């Protein structure tokens, strides 16, 4: 029995070693990825529902690995967060997105200013004061009008610690940027907390939008979030709109903005600029 146990243990630790090894490799390779030009941002258009006007874009990070090709953001963002790499990567993403948004204005000088939304991970939030400083520096260095920058914070990261969160959000908003709660609805208790947390908008998680045409519960939840947001006077954005019917239903329910494959997939910077030139 001892021998079997030993073997079993050896088998387990080998499997674990492999998983750990893969992770350590990814972490190691992610470390120099920005410098090697393997990381880039794509921009997914965001539209106002009422008249389908383009109002901005969400910046999403991509990693084109020299061997594995495109690595899923859910995988490498997690590696970046666990390893602490996100603390150097985050500010770089922020700066690159702000610089890109400065170009958009030149492409449509008479159009309404477009917003750029950047995802901020919970790890970046923990050092709250520092984040506000990073954001302020970025705005000063790039010259971007503060209200054009939207920071997407996940509901769980923000609502986990209400007291600390309120202070941190207040400090962030002093810079003039707008704060959105991302993946909203995944922690449903958040709906009541919303009154006490100072945010400018919520993004309804795409897992709810996916089934609003078939599932009455998902439609009820989505409608409740929309109604709540409107009564609080904050913007409500739906993500993951893949069908015309979803778009029509969300508009009917009073949702402000939407993004999704039906409206437009995330585009490399050059292609998003081309879209703007066409819009002009
Ligand atoms: P998220 O913030 O919820 O981003 C929206 C995700 O939905 C993106 O996945 C986008 O490509 C995808 N999407 C857009 N439209 C549709 C649609 O119609 N249907 C479906 N099924 N999906 C759609 P992506 O790019 O794989 O990003 C995954 C997550 O990775 C993001 O979720 C975000 O949490 C994180 N992430 C991406 N870029 C960054 C970044 O620069 N910083 C941080 N901290 N996190 C990031
Ligand atoms: Ca997001
Ligand atoms: Ca989301
Ligand atoms: Ca989501």
């Amino acid at each position: 029995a001892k021998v079997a146990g030993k073997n079993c243990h050896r088998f387990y630790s080998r499997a674990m070693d492999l998983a750990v090894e893969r992770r350590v490799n990814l972490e190691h390779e992610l470390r120099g990825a920005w410098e090697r030009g393997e990381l880039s941002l794509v921009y997914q258009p965001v539209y106002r529902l009422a008249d389908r006007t383009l109002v901005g874009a969400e910046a999403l990070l991509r990693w084109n690995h020299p061997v594995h090709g495109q690595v899923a953001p859910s995988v490498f963002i997690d590696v970046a967060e666990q390893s602490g790499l996100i603390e150097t990567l985050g500010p770089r993403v922020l700066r690159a997105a702000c610089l890109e948004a400065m170009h958009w204005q030149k492409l449509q000088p008479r159009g309404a200013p477009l917003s750029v939304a950047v995802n901020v991970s919970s790890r970046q939030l923990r050092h709250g004061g520092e984040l506000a400083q990073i954001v302020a520096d970025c705005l000063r260095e790039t010259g971007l009008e503060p209200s054009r920058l939207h920071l997407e914070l996940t509901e769980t990261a923000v609502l986990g610690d209400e007291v600390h969160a309120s202070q941190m959000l207040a400090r962030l908003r002093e810079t003039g940027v707008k704060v959105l709660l991302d993946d909203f609805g995944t922690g449903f208790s958040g709906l009541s907390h919303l009154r006490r947390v100072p945010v400018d908008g919520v993004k309804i998680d795409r897992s709810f939008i996916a089934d609003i045409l078939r599932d009455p519960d998902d439609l009820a939840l989505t409608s409740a979030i929309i109604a709540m947001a409107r009564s609080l006077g904050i913007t409500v954005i739906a993500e993951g709109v893949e069908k015309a019917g979803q778009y029509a239903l969300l508009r009917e329910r009073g949702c402000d903005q939407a993004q999704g494959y039906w409206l437009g997939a995330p585009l490399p910077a050059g292609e998003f600029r081309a879209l703007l030139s066409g819009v002009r």
Side-chain angles (χ1 to χ4, degrees):
K2 253 191 177 166
V3 175
K6 210 175 177 185
N7 282 342
C8 189
H9 173 75
R10 275 186 61 192
F11 174 76
Y12 261 116
S13 61
R14 258 202 84 207
M16 273 166 56
D17 282 352
L18 283 174
V20 168
E21 191 182 300
R22 218 169 282 142
R23 213 186 153 81
V24 168
N25 273 342
L26 269 190
E27 184 185 324
H28 178 73
E29 289 159 352
L30 188 56
R31 212 162 274 278
W34 183 277
E35 287 80 357
R36 290 191 300 273
E38 296 165 13
L39 291 164
S40 63
L41 287 170
V42 290
Y43 297 88
Q44 182 170 40
V46 179
Y47 292 88
R48 182 159 57 223
L49 277 164
D51 56 3
R52 220 163 133 183
T53 304
L54 182 69
V55 291
E58 177 179 3
L60 295 159
L61 196 57
R62 293 289 177 263
W63 183 13
N64 189 10
H65 188 283
V67 177
H68 309 307
Q70 290 291 330
V71 184
S74 55
V75 172
F76 75 80
I77 295 288
D78 193 52
V79 170
E81 284 180 357
Q82 301 294 326
S83 62
L85 272 172
I86 196 76
E87 279 164 44
T88 48
L89 211 47
R92 286 169 164 174
V93 164
L94 188 68
R95 197 183 149 79
C98 290
L99 283 174
E100 186 57 31
M102 289 297 283
H103 285 285
W104 301 343
Q105 217 48 34
K106 293 178 212 146
L107 292 172
Q108 40 167 204
R110 277 184 297 278
L114 297 176
S115 60
V116 64
V118 176
N119 292 284
V120 177
S121 81
S122 55
R123 173 115 187 196
Q124 291 172 271
L125 275 187
R126 244 172 268 156
H127 315 277
E130 206 186 317
L131 180 62
Q133 190 57 53
I134 287 167
V135 168
D137 290 347
C138 177
L139 291 170
R140 189 170 32 76
E141 285 165 26
T142 63
L144 186 73
E145 211 278 299
S147 67
R148 291 181 60 200
L149 177 60
H150 297 182
L151 299 180
E152 299 194 0
L153 280 46
T154 62
E155 185 189 357
T156 40
V158 170
L159 298 180
D161 175 0
E162 226 177 76
V163 176
H164 176 242
S166 297
Q167 292 172 352
M168 188 268 308
L169 290 180
R171 224 173 299 152
L172 261 187
R173 292 172 90 214
E174 274 168 26
T175 65
V177 302
K178 299 210 180 301
V179 173
L180 307 178
L181 282 190
D182 205 354
D183 297 348
F184 197 75
T186 50
F188 187 68
S189 62
L191 214 53
S192 58
H193 293 239
L194 204 50
R195 291 180 201 286
R196 292 189 295 274
V197 179
V199 295
D200 300 282
V202 294
K203 297 190 81 168
I204 308 175
D205 193 65
R206 65 172 187 270
S207 61
F208 297 106
I209 305 304
D211 266 346
I212 52 168
L213 294 175
R214 282 179 314 188
D215 185 335
D217 293 339
D218 284 0
L219 179 59
L221 177 71
T222 298
S223 302
I225 294 173
I226 294 170
M228 176 98 176
R230 290 183 70 97
S231 76
L232 292 171
I234 63 177
T235 305
V236 56
I237 304 153
E239 58 176 36
V241 173
E242 297 180 350
K243 298 183 187 99
Q246 292 168 329
Y247 183 91
L249 188 51
L250 288 163
R251 186 176 54 190
E252 179 203 303
R253 298 290 159 126
C255 186
D256 297 307
Q257 299 172 8
Q259 64 189 88
Y261 296 154
W262 185 73
L263 288 157
L267 298 170
E271 288 178 38
F272 188 76
R273 288 191 197 186
L275 176 78
L276 290 186
S277 308
V279 162
R280 182 181 48 174

